[in-house]
Amino acid sequence: MSEKKIHEDQKYVDGLLQNNSFIIQAIYDKFVPKVVNYIKQNSGDADQAQDVIQETIFTIYNQAKEKGLQLTCPFDAYFFLLCKRKWLNTLKKKNNKEVTINEAVLSKDDDAQELVFETALFEEKQALFNEMFQKLGAACKDLIKATFKIKSMEEVAKSLGVTYAYARKKKSLCIGQLTKLVQESPKFNQLNY
Amino acid sequence: MEDQNYIVFDQYLQGELAAEELIAFEARLKSDARFETAFKLYKDVSSHLQHKIENETETHAFRENLKNISNTHFNKIKTPLEAPKKPKVFRLGQLAIAASVVILLGLFMFNQFSNPVYSDYNTHEPMTVIRGADGMEAVMEATKAFNSADYIKANDLLRDGT
């Protein structure tokens, strides 16, 4: 990844990171109509397209923020393929059977395919982590939240009325418990670990 | 065993392992695939939690902004699709008005002409007289009587004249 040249469209990713309304607007003006057409041609409507697009942009934002996403292909191809993938997954979940798809619009851009795969994987991980986090006990949830909100573990320990050593140990074990829940999930095998 | 691993994972990520421990840890990552997987997952989950909780406010602001722009954009797309429907409804209304006018007019005319009475057809051309003929006076009288609708008198006069 790092040897590849960063595409000039990285400006869109950076714009999302900065919550820049002009850039978000530009994405909607330039790249969204194509996605809306595709979804409409493949048994969807404008409302469904709106949801798919919003979620896709949110995922790109998250990946940029957490993983420092670097675009090595045009934003257009990357964005379109991501939305398409998401829409096909939605259709599969809904119908639970084979769907006929208009495959006329397919990118042959390998960089784009690779990046889309990474983002999709990132999104699946996030979804599973979030789902499993909800299954943790209240004490673990509170401790984890406090740990990342209040940066100093001494303060966390103080606020929870426990010793520093206990708070540290408990934090590791709570995160460990979460990883265990993730690993035990049937979805874990799709996550490429 | 697992619990001990989690504690070491966290120490490693916090940069708290001593030099010797660090070497041992990294050697184990290379040799023990399961240990490595467990560590990678722990690292990913930690990073996810950190990002999610640390940036909660920023992320929320982004989501709201995105939602607004998205709504504005899609409202623009959705309205022109619905717009052409309005004139259609309007035309249908006009058509309904025109149709009721035609029906009312039809009914009115039907009622006007459906009960013919004698007076509808009771029209007569005025009687004409040829000058210089005999019995002129009686004929003139009869004409006058006829034209003033006194048919009985006209009849008598004409019968007498002929």
Side-chain angles (χ1 to χ4, degrees):
Chain A
M1 265 285 288
S2 53
E3 316 111 44
K4 281 181 190 159
K5 220 181 136 196
I6 294 172
H7 197 277
E8 57 173 325
D9 282 355
Q10 177 71 25
K11 67 182 176 207
Y12 293 111
V13 177
D14 294 342
L16 289 179
L17 269 181
Q18 291 148 11
N19 195 8
N20 181 331
S21 299
F22 288 106
I23 294 283
I24 302 173
Q25 189 71 59
I27 291 174
Y28 272 90
D29 290 340
K30 283 188 184 177
F31 309 118
V32 161
K34 187 173 156 187
V35 178
V36 176
N37 280 338
Y38 176 81
I39 291 180
K40 279 186 179 171
Q41 278 162 17
N42 289 285
S43 19
D45 59 26
D47 286 330
Q48 289 166 317
Q50 183 173 8
D51 289 345
V52 165
I53 288 159
Q54 214 167 302
E55 275 174 47
T56 302
I57 295 177
F58 190 58
T59 300
I60 298 174
Y61 168 84
N62 275 329
Q63 197 191 2
K65 193 106 186 158
E66 190 187 323
K67 303 279 180 192
L69 168 70
Q70 292 191 326
L71 212 58
T72 49
C73 65
F75 188 84
D76 188 15
Y78 171 66
F79 180 64
F80 179 76
L81 285 175
L82 269 181
C83 291
K84 182 183 150 185
R85 192 187 166 110
K86 193 180 264 299
W87 175 238
L88 297 191
N89 281 337
T90 313
L91 282 182
K92 258 189 229 161
K93 263 185 222 160
K94 216 194 265 168
N95 300 338
N96 216 7
K97 58 186 173 192
E98 285 296 305
V99 236
T100 44
I101 299 304
N102 173 9
E103 282 292 352
V105 216
L106 234 179
S107 165
K108 303 212 163 56
D109 191 331
D110 285 345
D111 281 344
Q113 295 280 13
E114 204 181 307
L115 216 52
V116 163
F117 179 74
E118 264 179 48
T119 303
L121 194 62
F122 172 80
E123 192 181 17
E124 278 162 36
K125 282 181 187 175
Q126 285 226 317
L128 186 60
F129 294 170
N130 283 332
E131 188 188 331
M132 292 305 145
F133 182 78
Q134 295 311 317
K135 291 192 177 174
L136 283 178
C140 262
K141 276 189 208 163
D142 289 346
L143 180 75
I144 288 175
K145 279 182 192 162
T147 302
F148 291 108
K149 225 172 236 165
I150 316 165
K151 302 261 168 74
S152 135
M153 274 317 275
E154 281 91 352
E155 274 182 47
V156 172
K158 224 189 203 173
S159 75
L160 295 172
V162 294
T163 64
Y164 169 79
Y166 178 80
R168 270 303 300 273
K169 188 183 165 193
K170 195 75 186 144
K171 175 203 165 192
S172 311
L173 297 186
C174 283
I175 295 177
Q177 200 189 329
L178 179 53
T179 65
K180 218 173 162 185
L181 286 171
V182 169
Q183 247 174 327
E184 282 163 2
S185 158
K187 292 176 195 159
F188 179 72
N189 290 333
Q190 297 155 20
L191 296 186
N192 272 30
Y193 273 102
Chain B
M1 184 61 202
E2 269 179 347
D3 285 358
Q4 193 49 47
N5 284 349
Y6 299 144
I7 291 167
V8 178
F9 292 161
D10 202 61
Q11 286 173 328
Y12 176 82
L13 290 174
Q14 299 293 323
E16 289 172 353
L17 287 182
E20 274 171 41
E21 291 169 319
L22 194 64
I23 293 166
F25 182 83
E26 281 171 350
R28 194 169 168 201
L29 278 185
K30 278 180 192 155
S31 59
D32 186 343
R34 279 189 63 179
F35 184 76
E36 197 205 2
T37 303
F39 171 67
K40 264 173 134 181
L41 183 59
Y42 188 95
K43 196 176 144 198
D44 262 9
V45 168
S46 291
S47 148
H48 166 77
L49 291 171
Q50 186 178 356
H51 161 74
K52 200 183 166 194
I53 296 163
E54 265 181 13
N55 302 316
E56 215 174 1
T57 330
E58 256 177 90
T59 305
H60 182 74
F62 175 77
R63 243 209 137 124
E64 285 302 305
N65 194 21
L66 177 63
K67 208 160 86 185
N68 286 339
I69 294 173
S70 169
N71 283 339
T72 317
H73 180 85
F74 274 88
N75 285 341
K76 255 190 275 166
I77 292 183
K78 286 173 198 163
T79 25
L81 276 176
E82 283 154 17
K85 280 183 188 165
K86 270 189 183 168
K88 247 187 193 172
V89 173
F90 184 55
R91 244 179 265 142
L92 206 74
Q94 280 182 320
L95 204 70
I97 293 168
S100 26
V101 167
V102 167
I103 289 168
L104 281 173
L105 214 68
L107 278 172
F108 173 74
M109 292 193 19
F110 179 73
N111 279 333
Q112 276 293 299
F113 299 117
S114 58
N115 295 315
V117 289
Y118 178 67
S119 64
D120 289 343
Y121 306 100
N122 182 19
T123 53
H124 300 281
E125 289 294 311
M127 206 176 160
T128 48
V129 177
I130 302 146
R131 279 175 189 271
D134 291 334
M136 200 57 190
E137 245 168 69
V139 175
M140 294 276 279
E141 282 301 306
T143 305
K144 271 181 200 162
F146 182 86
N147 286 347
S148 54
D150 194 350
Y151 302 121
I152 299 165
K153 191 183 170 189
N155 198 26
D156 290 344
L157 284 168
L158 285 171
R159 200 176 291 148
D160 291 348
T162 46

PDB file of all heavy atoms in Angstrom, chain B residues 130-152:
ATOM      1  N   ILE B 130    -104.314  37.671 -54.581  1.00  0.00           N
ATOM      2  CA  ILE B 130    -103.976  38.162 -55.916  1.00  0.00           C
ATOM      3  C   ILE B 130    -104.907  39.315 -56.272  1.00  0.00           C
ATOM      4  O   ILE B 130    -106.138  39.198 -56.182  1.00  0.00           O
ATOM      5  CB  ILE B 130    -104.109  37.040 -56.970  1.00  0.00           C
ATOM      6  CG1 ILE B 130    -103.184  35.899 -56.570  1.00  0.00           C
ATOM      7  CG2 ILE B 130    -103.788  37.516 -58.371  1.00  0.00           C
ATOM      8  CD1 ILE B 130    -103.720  34.559 -56.911  1.00  0.00           C
ATOM      9  N   ARG B 131    -104.276  40.459 -56.509  1.00  0.00           N
ATOM     10  CA  ARG B 131    -105.075  41.643 -56.835  1.00  0.00           C
ATOM     11  C   ARG B 131    -105.842  41.467 -58.151  1.00  0.00           C
ATOM     12  O   ARG B 131    -105.393  40.797 -59.066  1.00  0.00           O
ATOM     13  CB  ARG B 131    -104.162  42.869 -56.983  1.00  0.00           C
ATOM     14  CG  ARG B 131    -103.800  43.479 -55.670  1.00  0.00           C
ATOM     15  CD  ARG B 131    -102.816  44.595 -55.913  1.00  0.00           C
ATOM     16  NE  ARG B 131    -102.267  45.097 -54.669  1.00  0.00           N
ATOM     17  CZ  ARG B 131    -102.827  46.076 -53.977  1.00  0.00           C
ATOM     18  NH1 ARG B 131    -103.923  46.649 -54.405  1.00  0.00           N
ATOM     19  NH2 ARG B 131    -102.295  46.469 -52.855  1.00  0.00           N
ATOM     20  N   GLY B 132    -107.030  42.135 -58.235  1.00  0.00           N
ATOM     21  CA  GLY B 132    -107.819  42.157 -59.467  1.00  0.00           C
ATOM     22  C   GLY B 132    -108.738  40.977 -59.613  1.00  0.00           C
ATOM     23  O   GLY B 132    -109.543  40.934 -60.556  1.00  0.00           O
ATOM     24  N   ALA B 133    -108.675  40.068 -58.676  1.00  0.00           N
ATOM     25  CA  ALA B 133    -109.584  38.914 -58.782  1.00  0.00           C
ATOM     26  C   ALA B 133    -110.998  39.287 -58.337  1.00  0.00           C
ATOM     27  O   ALA B 133    -111.184  40.319 -57.695  1.00  0.00           O
ATOM     28  CB  ALA B 133    -109.022  37.778 -57.925  1.00  0.00           C
ATOM     29  N   ASP B 134    -111.997  38.432 -58.659  1.00  0.00           N
ATOM     30  CA  ASP B 134    -113.385  38.723 -58.257  1.00  0.00           C
ATOM     31  C   ASP B 134    -113.565  38.450 -56.782  1.00  0.00           C
ATOM     32  O   ASP B 134    -112.824  37.681 -56.187  1.00  0.00           O
ATOM     33  CB  ASP B 134    -114.366  37.838 -59.066  1.00  0.00           C
ATOM     34  CG  ASP B 134    -114.399  38.230 -60.545  1.00  0.00           C
ATOM     35  OD1 ASP B 134    -114.096  39.403 -60.828  1.00  0.00           O
ATOM     36  OD2 ASP B 134    -114.672  37.320 -61.359  1.00  0.00           O
ATOM     37  N   GLY B 135    -114.657  39.070 -56.229  1.00  0.00           N
ATOM     38  CA  GLY B 135    -114.958  38.854 -54.799  1.00  0.00           C
ATOM     39  C   GLY B 135    -113.802  39.290 -53.930  1.00  0.00           C
ATOM     40  O   GLY B 135    -113.520  38.722 -52.908  1.00  0.00           O
ATOM     41  N   MET B 136    -113.193  40.363 -54.418  1.00  0.00           N
ATOM     42  CA  MET B 136    -111.979  40.864 -53.770  1.00  0.00           C
ATOM     43  C   MET B 136    -112.200  41.268 -52.323  1.00  0.00           C
ATOM     44  O   MET B 136    -111.397  40.964 -51.443  1.00  0.00           O
ATOM     45  CB  MET B 136    -111.495  42.058 -54.589  1.00  0.00           C
ATOM     46  CG  MET B 136    -110.047  42.396 -54.384  1.00  0.00           C
ATOM     47  SD  MET B 136    -109.025  40.980 -54.751  1.00  0.00           S
ATOM     48  CE  MET B 136    -107.535  41.629 -54.123  1.00  0.00           C
ATOM     49  N   GLU B 137    -113.350  41.900 -52.155  1.00  0.00           N
ATOM     50  CA  GLU B 137    -113.615  42.464 -50.816  1.00  0.00           C
ATOM     51  C   GLU B 137    -113.712  41.386 -49.744  1.00  0.00           C
ATOM     52  O   GLU B 137    -113.102  41.501 -48.690  1.00  0.00           O
ATOM     53  CB  GLU B 137    -114.915  43.257 -50.832  1.00  0.00           C
ATOM     54  CG  GLU B 137    -114.700  44.745 -50.576  1.00  0.00           C
ATOM     55  CD  GLU B 137    -115.939  45.557 -50.888  1.00  0.00           C
ATOM     56  OE1 GLU B 137    -116.918  45.409 -50.142  1.00  0.00           O
ATOM     57  OE2 GLU B 137    -115.885  46.292 -51.883  1.00  0.00           O
ATOM     58  N   ALA B 138    -114.470  40.312 -50.153  1.00  0.00           N
ATOM     59  CA  ALA B 138    -114.634  39.208 -49.196  1.00  0.00           C
ATOM     60  C   ALA B 138    -113.295  38.550 -48.898  1.00  0.00           C
ATOM     61  O   ALA B 138    -112.975  38.226 -47.754  1.00  0.00           O
ATOM     62  CB  ALA B 138    -115.596  38.173 -49.772  1.00  0.00           C
ATOM     63  N   VAL B 139    -112.513  38.411 -49.945  1.00  0.00           N
ATOM     64  CA  VAL B 139    -111.181  37.794 -49.765  1.00  0.00           C
ATOM     65  C   VAL B 139    -110.307  38.666 -48.867  1.00  0.00           C
ATOM     66  O   VAL B 139    -109.616  38.190 -47.971  1.00  0.00           O
ATOM     67  CB  VAL B 139    -110.517  37.555 -51.135  1.00  0.00           C
ATOM     68  CG1 VAL B 139    -109.094  37.042 -50.962  1.00  0.00           C
ATOM     69  CG2 VAL B 139    -111.303  36.546 -51.937  1.00  0.00           C
ATOM     70  N   MET B 140    -110.357  39.998 -49.089  1.00  0.00           N
ATOM     71  CA  MET B 140    -109.575  40.929 -48.246  1.00  0.00           C
ATOM     72  C   MET B 140    -109.987  40.798 -46.787  1.00  0.00           C
ATOM     73  O   MET B 140    -109.142  40.724 -45.894  1.00  0.00           O
ATOM     74  CB  MET B 140    -109.808  42.381 -48.717  1.00  0.00           C
ATOM     75  CG  MET B 140    -109.264  42.681 -50.100  1.00  0.00           C
ATOM     76  SD  MET B 140    -107.514  43.091 -50.048  1.00  0.00           S
ATOM     77  CE  MET B 140    -107.653  44.795 -49.573  1.00  0.00           C
ATOM     78  N   GLU B 141    -111.309  40.716 -46.582  1.00  0.00           N
ATOM     79  CA  GLU B 141    -111.828  40.581 -45.222  1.00  0.00           C
ATOM     80  C   GLU B 141    -111.333  39.277 -44.596  1.00  0.00           C
ATOM     81  O   GLU B 141    -110.885  39.246 -43.457  1.00  0.00           O
ATOM     82  CB  GLU B 141    -113.385  40.599 -45.244  1.00  0.00           C
ATOM     83  CG  GLU B 141    -113.995  41.975 -45.403  1.00  0.00           C
ATOM     84  CD  GLU B 141    -113.584  42.932 -44.280  1.00  0.00           C
ATOM     85  OE1 GLU B 141    -113.777  42.569 -43.085  1.00  0.00           O
ATOM     86  OE2 GLU B 141    -113.011  44.015 -44.577  1.00  0.00           O
ATOM     87  N   ALA B 142    -111.484  38.238 -45.453  1.00  0.00           N
ATOM     88  CA  ALA B 142    -111.069  36.904 -44.962  1.00  0.00           C
ATOM     89  C   ALA B 142    -109.582  36.904 -44.595  1.00  0.00           C
ATOM     90  O   ALA B 142    -109.176  36.335 -43.583  1.00  0.00           O
ATOM     91  CB  ALA B 142    -111.351  35.863 -46.042  1.00  0.00           C
ATOM     92  N   THR B 143    -108.788  37.581 -45.455  1.00  0.00           N
ATOM     93  CA  THR B 143    -107.347  37.663 -45.191  1.00  0.00           C
ATOM     94  C   THR B 143    -107.077  38.331 -43.865  1.00  0.00           C
ATOM     95  O   THR B 143    -106.306  37.854 -43.033  1.00  0.00           O
ATOM     96  CB  THR B 143    -106.660  38.443 -46.318  1.00  0.00           C
ATOM     97  OG1 THR B 143    -106.983  37.834 -47.545  1.00  0.00           O
ATOM     98  CG2 THR B 143    -105.136  38.431 -46.129  1.00  0.00           C
ATOM     99  N   LYS B 144    -107.766  39.477 -43.706  1.00  0.00           N
ATOM    100  CA  LYS B 144    -107.578  40.216 -42.443  1.00  0.00           C
ATOM    101  C   LYS B 144    -107.944  39.331 -41.251  1.00  0.00           C
ATOM    102  O   LYS B 144    -107.231  39.258 -40.251  1.00  0.00           O
ATOM    103  CB  LYS B 144    -108.436  41.487 -42.432  1.00  0.00           C
ATOM    104  CG  LYS B 144    -107.741  42.689 -43.017  1.00  0.00           C
ATOM    105  CD  LYS B 144    -108.667  43.921 -42.928  1.00  0.00           C
ATOM    106  CE  LYS B 144    -108.232  44.999 -43.905  1.00  0.00           C
ATOM    107  NZ  LYS B 144    -109.331  45.991 -44.137  1.00  0.00           N
ATOM    108  N   ALA B 145    -109.130  38.647 -41.395  1.00  0.00           N
ATOM    109  CA  ALA B 145    -109.600  37.786 -40.310  1.00  0.00           C
ATOM    110  C   ALA B 145    -108.602  36.669 -40.047  1.00  0.00           C
ATOM    111  O   ALA B 145    -108.265  36.360 -38.901  1.00  0.00           O
ATOM    112  CB  ALA B 145    -110.964  37.206 -40.694  1.00  0.00           C
ATOM    113  N   PHE B 146    -108.104  36.074 -41.160  1.00  0.00           N
ATOM    114  CA  PHE B 146    -107.131  34.979 -40.984  1.00  0.00           C
ATOM    115  C   PHE B 146    -105.869  35.456 -40.290  1.00  0.00           C
ATOM    116  O   PHE B 146    -105.373  34.832 -39.354  1.00  0.00           O
ATOM    117  CB  PHE B 146    -106.800  34.404 -42.375  1.00  0.00           C
ATOM    118  CG  PHE B 146    -105.838  33.243 -42.280  1.00  0.00           C
ATOM    119  CD1 PHE B 146    -106.326  31.952 -42.059  1.00  0.00           C
ATOM    120  CD2 PHE B 146    -104.479  33.446 -42.401  1.00  0.00           C
ATOM    121  CE1 PHE B 146    -105.439  30.918 -41.967  1.00  0.00           C
ATOM    122  CE2 PHE B 146    -103.586  32.401 -42.302  1.00  0.00           C
ATOM    123  CZ  PHE B 146    -104.074  31.117 -42.095  1.00  0.00           C
ATOM    124  N   ASN B 147    -105.392  36.608 -40.768  1.00  0.00           N
ATOM    125  CA  ASN B 147    -104.132  37.127 -40.198  1.00  0.00           C
ATOM    126  C   ASN B 147    -104.291  37.553 -38.751  1.00  0.00           C
ATOM    127  O   ASN B 147    -103.316  37.577 -38.009  1.00  0.00           O
ATOM    128  CB  ASN B 147    -103.591  38.272 -41.048  1.00  0.00           C
ATOM    129  CG  ASN B 147    -102.981  37.747 -42.355  1.00  0.00           C
ATOM    130  OD1 ASN B 147    -102.752  36.539 -42.490  1.00  0.00           O
ATOM    131  ND2 ASN B 147    -102.742  38.626 -43.301  1.00  0.00           N
ATOM    132  N   SER B 148    -105.536  37.895 -38.367  1.00  0.00           N
ATOM    133  CA  SER B 148    -105.711  38.189 -36.937  1.00  0.00           C
ATOM    134  C   SER B 148    -106.177  36.948 -36.195  1.00  0.00           C
ATOM    135  O   SER B 148    -106.778  37.044 -35.135  1.00  0.00           O
ATOM    136  CB  SER B 148    -106.675  39.370 -36.766  1.00  0.00           C
ATOM    137  OG  SER B 148    -107.868  39.095 -37.439  1.00  0.00           O
ATOM    138  N   ALA B 149    -105.955  35.788 -36.806  1.00  0.00           N
ATOM    139  CA  ALA B 149    -106.218  34.486 -36.204  1.00  0.00           C
ATOM    140  C   ALA B 149    -107.691  34.205 -35.947  1.00  0.00           C
ATOM    141  O   ALA B 149    -108.022  33.353 -35.133  1.00  0.00           O
ATOM    142  CB  ALA B 149    -105.388  34.302 -34.943  1.00  0.00           C
ATOM    143  N   ASP B 150    -108.559  34.939 -36.622  1.00  0.00           N
ATOM    144  CA  ASP B 150    -110.005  34.674 -36.461  1.00  0.00           C
ATOM    145  C   ASP B 150    -110.396  33.705 -37.569  1.00  0.00           C
ATOM    146  O   ASP B 150    -111.000  34.084 -38.572  1.00  0.00           O
ATOM    147  CB  ASP B 150    -110.777  35.989 -36.564  1.00  0.00           C
ATOM    148  CG  ASP B 150    -112.215  35.841 -36.080  1.00  0.00           C
ATOM    149  OD1 ASP B 150    -112.634  34.661 -35.852  1.00  0.00           O
ATOM    150  OD2 ASP B 150    -112.887  36.864 -35.940  1.00  0.00           O
ATOM    151  N   TYR B 151    -110.040  32.448 -37.356  1.00  0.00           N
ATOM    152  CA  TYR B 151    -110.159  31.458 -38.429  1.00  0.00           C
ATOM    153  C   TYR B 151    -111.622  31.142 -38.766  1.00  0.00           C
ATOM    154  O   TYR B 151    -111.961  30.849 -39.913  1.00  0.00           O
ATOM    155  CB  TYR B 151    -109.412  30.168 -38.048  1.00  0.00           C
ATOM    156  CG  TYR B 151    -107.936  30.437 -37.751  1.00  0.00           C
ATOM    157  CD1 TYR B 151    -107.382  30.132 -36.529  1.00  0.00           C
ATOM    158  CD2 TYR B 151    -107.149  31.027 -38.760  1.00  0.00           C
ATOM    159  CE1 TYR B 151    -106.045  30.397 -36.266  1.00  0.00           C
ATOM    160  CE2 TYR B 151    -105.822  31.287 -38.484  1.00  0.00           C
ATOM    161  CZ  TYR B 151    -105.253  30.982 -37.256  1.00  0.00           C
ATOM    162  OH  TYR B 151    -103.967  31.241 -37.004  1.00  0.00           O
ATOM    163  N   ILE B 152    -112.451  31.187 -37.777  1.00  0.00           N
ATOM    164  CA  ILE B 152    -113.869  30.851 -38.028  1.00  0.00           C
ATOM    165  C   ILE B 152    -114.494  31.869 -39.000  1.00  0.00           C
ATOM    166  O   ILE B 152    -115.101  31.509 -40.008  1.00  0.00           O
ATOM    167  CB  ILE B 152    -114.659  30.803 -36.718  1.00  0.00           C
ATOM    168  CG1 ILE B 152    -114.033  29.687 -35.821  1.00  0.00           C
ATOM    169  CG2 ILE B 152    -116.147  30.525 -36.957  1.00  0.00           C
ATOM    170  CD1 ILE B 152    -114.455  29.761 -34.380  1.00  0.00           C
TER     171      ILE B 152
END
